PDB file of all heavy atoms in Angstrom:
ATOM      1  N   VAL A   6      -1.391  14.200   2.292  1.00 99.00           N
ATOM      2  CA  VAL A   6      -1.986  15.365   1.626  1.00 99.00           C
ATOM      3  C   VAL A   6      -2.107  16.459   2.675  1.00 99.00           C
ATOM      4  O   VAL A   6      -2.717  16.250   3.719  1.00 99.00           O
ATOM      5  CB  VAL A   6      -3.382  15.022   1.059  1.00 99.00           C
ATOM      6  CG1 VAL A   6      -4.060  16.260   0.492  1.00 99.00           C
ATOM      7  CG2 VAL A   6      -3.265  13.945  -0.018  1.00 99.00           C
ATOM      8  N   THR A   7      -1.519  17.611   2.445  1.00 99.00           N
ATOM      9  CA  THR A   7      -1.676  18.712   3.397  1.00 99.00           C
ATOM     10  C   THR A   7      -2.743  19.672   2.864  1.00 99.00           C
ATOM     11  O   THR A   7      -2.899  19.820   1.655  1.00 99.00           O
ATOM     12  CB  THR A   7      -0.358  19.479   3.592  1.00 99.00           C
ATOM     13  OG1 THR A   7      -0.082  20.185   2.377  1.00 99.00           O
ATOM     14  CG2 THR A   7       0.792  18.557   3.931  1.00 99.00           C
ATOM     15  N   GLY A   8      -3.475  20.294   3.789  1.00 98.00           N
ATOM     16  CA  GLY A   8      -4.542  21.222   3.361  1.00 98.00           C
ATOM     17  C   GLY A   8      -5.689  20.501   2.699  1.00 98.00           C
ATOM     18  O   GLY A   8      -6.405  21.079   1.878  1.00 98.00           O
ATOM     19  N   GLY A   9      -5.892  19.245   3.091  1.00 98.00           N
ATOM     20  CA  GLY A   9      -6.915  18.413   2.445  1.00 98.00           C
ATOM     21  C   GLY A   9      -8.343  18.735   2.848  1.00 98.00           C
ATOM     22  O   GLY A   9      -9.273  18.134   2.310  1.00 98.00           O
ATOM     23  N   ALA A  10      -8.523  19.680   3.789  1.00 97.00           N
ATOM     24  CA  ALA A  10      -9.902  20.067   4.130  1.00 97.00           C
ATOM     25  C   ALA A  10     -10.331  21.315   3.360  1.00 97.00           C
ATOM     26  O   ALA A  10     -11.442  21.809   3.538  1.00 97.00           O
ATOM     27  CB  ALA A  10     -10.025  20.301   5.635  1.00 97.00           C
ATOM     28  N   GLY A  11      -9.440  21.829   2.533  1.00 98.00           N
ATOM     29  CA  GLY A  11      -9.779  23.006   1.723  1.00 98.00           C
ATOM     30  C   GLY A  11     -10.447  22.610   0.422  1.00 98.00           C
ATOM     31  O   GLY A  11     -10.812  21.444   0.210  1.00 98.00           O
ATOM     32  N   PHE A  12     -10.581  23.576  -0.457  1.00 98.00           N
ATOM     33  CA  PHE A  12     -11.335  23.378  -1.703  1.00 98.00           C
ATOM     34  C   PHE A  12     -10.695  22.308  -2.604  1.00 98.00           C
ATOM     35  O   PHE A  12     -11.294  21.251  -2.872  1.00 98.00           O
ATOM     36  CB  PHE A  12     -11.417  24.745  -2.408  1.00 98.00           C
ATOM     37  CG  PHE A  12     -11.781  24.725  -3.859  1.00 98.00           C
ATOM     38  CD1 PHE A  12     -12.867  23.983  -4.325  1.00 98.00           C
ATOM     39  CD2 PHE A  12     -11.047  25.472  -4.779  1.00 98.00           C
ATOM     40  CE1 PHE A  12     -13.209  23.993  -5.677  1.00 98.00           C
ATOM     41  CE2 PHE A  12     -11.369  25.484  -6.120  1.00 98.00           C
ATOM     42  CZ  PHE A  12     -12.451  24.735  -6.580  1.00 98.00           C
ATOM     43  N   ILE A  13      -9.470  22.534  -3.026  1.00 98.00           N
ATOM     44  CA  ILE A  13      -8.879  21.599  -4.008  1.00 98.00           C
ATOM     45  C   ILE A  13      -8.470  20.298  -3.310  1.00 98.00           C
ATOM     46  O   ILE A  13      -8.705  19.201  -3.819  1.00 98.00           O
ATOM     47  CB  ILE A  13      -7.671  22.226  -4.736  1.00 98.00           C
ATOM     48  CG1 ILE A  13      -8.053  23.589  -5.347  1.00 98.00           C
ATOM     49  CG2 ILE A  13      -7.173  21.291  -5.845  1.00 98.00           C
ATOM     50  CD1 ILE A  13      -6.890  24.362  -5.961  1.00 98.00           C
ATOM     51  N   GLY A  14      -7.871  20.436  -2.115  1.00 98.00           N
ATOM     52  CA  GLY A  14      -7.398  19.254  -1.390  1.00 98.00           C
ATOM     53  C   GLY A  14      -8.512  18.256  -1.121  1.00 98.00           C
ATOM     54  O   GLY A  14      -8.323  17.041  -1.259  1.00 98.00           O
ATOM     55  N   SER A  15      -9.700  18.746  -0.734  1.00 98.00           N
ATOM     56  CA  SER A  15     -10.794  17.808  -0.422  1.00 98.00           C
ATOM     57  C   SER A  15     -11.280  17.121  -1.699  1.00 98.00           C
ATOM     58  O   SER A  15     -11.570  15.919  -1.684  1.00 98.00           O
ATOM     59  CB  SER A  15     -11.942  18.514   0.304  1.00 98.00           C
ATOM     60  OG  SER A  15     -12.477  19.548  -0.495  1.00 98.00           O
ATOM     61  N   ASN A  16     -11.355  17.860  -2.798  1.00 98.00           N
ATOM     62  CA  ASN A  16     -11.731  17.215  -4.076  1.00 98.00           C
ATOM     63  C   ASN A  16     -10.681  16.180  -4.479  1.00 98.00           C
ATOM     64  O   ASN A  16     -11.005  15.105  -4.997  1.00 98.00           O
ATOM     65  CB  ASN A  16     -11.881  18.274  -5.174  1.00 98.00           C
ATOM     66  CG  ASN A  16     -13.250  18.956  -5.131  1.00 98.00           C
ATOM     67  OD1 ASN A  16     -14.269  18.307  -5.372  1.00 98.00           O
ATOM     68  ND2 ASN A  16     -13.279  20.230  -4.803  1.00 98.00           N
TER      69      ASN A  16
END
Side-chain angles (χ1 to χ4, degrees):
V6 174
T7 69
F12 163 48
I13 307 174
S15 60
N16 278 294

